Amino acid sequence: QVQLVESGGGVVQAGGSLRLSCAASGRTFSSYSMGWFRQAPGKEREFVAAISWSGGSIYDADSVKGRFTISRDNAKNTMYLQMNSLKPEDTAVYYCAARRGALRSDSSYDYWGQGTQVTVSS
């Protein structure tokens, strides 16, 4: 059983940086693949990035490749999303998620956080 809590959202100027954190509870955290998703107003939830349980496999959406970096620190039960060169179109509610097994870019995750708002001003 895993509970997820996002933090680090806020308002940032275009071109700026922001780091999101996802704190997970549960002894089995290291056995789960983790992912970040986002949802803008009026749009479907969109995949952002995912990372395997060991951190050895990473997959980024084309829209954020080269700008966002996903990582995890299993000793701290925390996953991160470092966001650089932010654009107004990055504005969305960002969700962290966890699933058993391999990482996926779809929404087939077992656990979800409540989301944190990221607003990029222009």
Side-chain angles (χ1 to χ4, degrees):
Q1 193 72 22
V2 176
Q3 291 80 46
L4 306 172
V5 180
E6 304 96 334
S7 63
V11 180
V12 64
Q13 293 180 322
S17 298
L18 202 62
R19 188 177 77 159
L20 305 183
S21 298
C22 175
S25 62
R27 298 193 307 273
T28 61
F29 173 75
S30 296
S31 299
Y32 289 79
S33 296
M34 304 284 292
W36 287 98
F37 295 78
R38 65 188 183 185
Q39 187 168 21
K43 295 185 177 181
E44 298 295 318
R45 186 170 296 182
E46 174 190 21
F47 170 78
V48 176
I51 186 168
S52 66
W53 71 270
S54 66
S57 296
I58 294 174
Y59 181 67
D60 302 320
D62 289 341
S63 59
V64 306
K65 192 179 297 292
R67 299 188 299 121
F68 291 8
T69 302
I70 188 172
S71 63
R72 67 191 294 170
D73 186 341
N74 290 343
K76 297 181 178 180
N77 288 343
T78 303
M79 177 181 65
Y80 305 97
L81 184 68
Q82 178 65 48
M83 304 184 292
N84 299 324
S85 301
L86 283 162
K87 306 174 181 179
E89 52 262 44
D90 294 319
T91 296
V93 177
Y94 283 70
Y95 300 89
C96 67
R99 72 184 306 276
R100 303 176 183 89
L103 63 86
R104 293 184 62 88
S105 61
D106 58 23
S107 297
S108 61
Y109 283 69
D110 300 300
Y111 305 99
W112 294 84
Q114 295 298 310
T116 185
Q117 176 70 47
V118 172
T119 301
V120 184
S121 62
S122 60

